[in-house]
Amino acid sequence: MSPHISSAKGIWQDVVANRRAYLMAASACWGGMLFGWDTGLIGGILPRASFKHSFGLDKNPAAFADLSGWIVSVLQAGCFFGAMSAAWISDWFGRKAALLIAAAIFHFGSILQTTPTLNGQSPSSALIQLYIGRAIGGFGVGLVSVCVPTYISESAPSHLRGRLTGMYQLFNVTGIALAFWVNYGLLQQFGEDATAKAQWTIAFALQMIPGLLLVIFMVFQNESPRWLAEKGRSEESRIVLANLRGLPIDHEIVTSEYQAIKDDFEGRVRLTVWQQAKEATSSTKMFYRCSLPFVLMAFQQWTGTNSMNYYSPVIFQQLGMKGGQASLLGTGVYGIVKIVMTAICLALGIEQFGRKATLVWGGLGQSLCLFFVGGYRALHKGENVDAGSYIAIVAIYLYVSAYSLGWSVAAWPAMSESVPNHLRSLTMATGLMSSWLFNFTISKITPILLKEITYGTFLLFAGTTLLAVVWTIFFLPETGGIPIEEIHNLFEGSIVKQSLRDNRHLFSRMPRRTSAEQLDAHADDGAESGSTRSFKTYEDKIEKASV
């Protein structure tokens, strides 16, 4: 069996056969765990008596309420600007170097968050240092959130690109769950002792673990072969490709893939961010293609997932659960369900059924669950627990299962592989800026919605999720399994026609290689189909090598 492609059915055999690609993705995905751990950590720290006491907030409820809002907002602001900077940093220094820079920034921010009360600082000075640390750490998280999926999508073989890019989300939700259980363990250890400062400083210190692992693993990985090719470093690009595919540098598959990359970058090397922006708006279709990361990340947020992440304990309390029970069900168990279902999607869904099918069916599942919970809340006015309460709780878990099988995973490969190689730095940055912008927006409006329109909150997100499903059906071609250099053909004809044609994969497993079929829209429109023929040849070579 060829090491670059798996013909075995078992997931383990697939990992062994493509071990270099999986190791590359796992090395970068420690950045996803860093992302999840940092964003999931603060919810378990803020309510602790020791944290309030350390900053003089235990006797000032108004100041504490203000802090609770700002400490989350400062992180999200840092993430937004970190994502914005990624367009320049990852383009200038490279994807690998950008990840290492992001880790250094994150660690500096984490140290500031861990040590604000050292050296006898006043509570107000300590609080300022905490804010600064959260902003700096957030900048690193935002930079990571762009660079990880970019690096993986540019390095992964086409038949594994969805799974490997989606691993980012698996590490992300694992980080969120670990953050909860770390806080839970520290609470069991220290209780609500107001003088136990170690309770929250240990929690902040431990968030540096995934950052350290990111550095350790990435030191031994290569730069993205497509970034190297874009910068004119041709020989290095070929060496990296050969290493990732586990083949000699002169092997025909390496030569064919490298030639496709080189041809795609012809006349487009070393574009500045401003030049990328001009190219991205050079035509209506190019603008639409480059806007896909922004749209996909916006829809991912408007499925309501972060409302559940931030306020699931409150939602479970509204459904009848109380106190620690609501927290455990709403955050701890909820996080474990996300990990399990995300892993199932990566193993059995994203490559077998494609991006469109997982987005459509996952979105429909989310909408149905939210409509049920909204309907139940509209009819059930009291706080007593009845049979409907338990069904609604099950619906919440089904909701997160559907999200994990669809918009949680599939949006990442869909956004990163749809855009042109030479514009990926800019477009991925705008995509994650969209994610952080709407993350902030939704985190702010959700408590207001839960208070003012109660059950209407669930109906609102059910409606926006349905809108995302409709958009996917009509305006998103299937990109799974196609080399990045061939994907532009999907957008050269009628995008709606191509998207509707690709809906045939909603009701059956995708063929292992579907690009020649998908590109028939391009040929039907009278365009030259030479790229289709060249891709068939490329795939034939892979098939021969895997025998």
Side-chain angles (χ1 to χ4, degrees), residues 118-330:
L118 292 183
N119 302 319
Q121 291 193 90
S122 67
S124 59
S125 297
L127 197 55
I128 292 172
Q129 179 175 322
L130 181 65
Y131 283 140
I132 294 172
R134 292 291 285 173
I136 293 174
F139 189 95
V141 171
L143 182 54
V144 158
S145 68
V146 175
C147 295
V148 172
T150 300
Y151 174 76
I152 297 174
S153 65
E154 290 183 343
S155 304
S158 59
H159 68 288
L160 289 176
R161 193 172 57 238
R163 181 177 298 158
L164 297 185
T165 307
M167 281 173 59
Y168 174 71
Q169 184 66 11
L170 176 62
F171 277 66
N172 186 350
V173 297
T174 301
I176 294 173
L178 287 175
F180 169 82
W181 290 109
V182 164
N183 284 328
Y184 183 81
L186 291 170
L187 179 60
Q188 297 303 306
Q189 176 67 30
F190 294 102
E192 288 293 355
D193 182 359
T195 63
K197 186 171 66 174
Q199 183 177 33
W200 60 267
T201 57
I202 290 174
F204 275 130
L206 289 177
Q207 73 177 341
M208 289 186 274
I209 291 176
L212 289 172
L213 292 171
L214 173 64
V215 172
I216 292 169
F217 276 80
M218 282 305 300
V219 163
F220 299 99
Q221 291 301 313
N222 295 303
E223 181 55 81
S224 155
R226 285 173 172 82
W227 182 84
L228 290 170
E230 181 186 3
K231 301 306 175 184
R233 296 159 63 175
S234 303
E235 190 61 24
E236 291 178 73
S237 177
R238 292 184 63 191
I239 292 172
V240 171
L241 273 178
N243 180 270
L244 284 170
R245 307 300 180 254
L247 295 169
I249 193 170
D250 58 351
H251 195 282
E252 60 179 340
I253 291 177
V254 175
T255 301
S256 178
E257 185 172 2
Y258 171 73
Q259 189 60 48
I261 295 172
K262 182 180 178 181
D263 291 344
D264 189 59
F265 278 118
E266 193 70 37
R268 299 165 174 166
V269 297
R270 298 185 177 91
L271 295 182
T272 66
V273 173
W274 174 246
Q275 289 172 323
Q276 290 182 47
K278 290 179 65 177
E279 175 73 12
T281 55
S282 59
S283 68
T284 302
K285 286 187 176 180
M286 179 61 78
F287 178 76
Y288 179 77
R289 187 181 174 191
C290 292
S291 70
L292 287 177
F294 185 95
V295 175
L296 282 162
M297 288 293 100
F299 276 136
Q300 185 190 62
Q301 292 298 319
W302 280 101
T303 62
T305 175
N306 279 319
S307 291
M308 298 296 179
N309 288 343
Y310 294 138
Y311 300 103
S312 52
V314 176
I315 293 169
F316 276 84
Q317 287 173 5
Q318 289 185 350
L319 295 175
M321 301 294 102
K322 300 298 180 185
Q325 185 183 30
S327 177
L328 189 63
L329 286 174

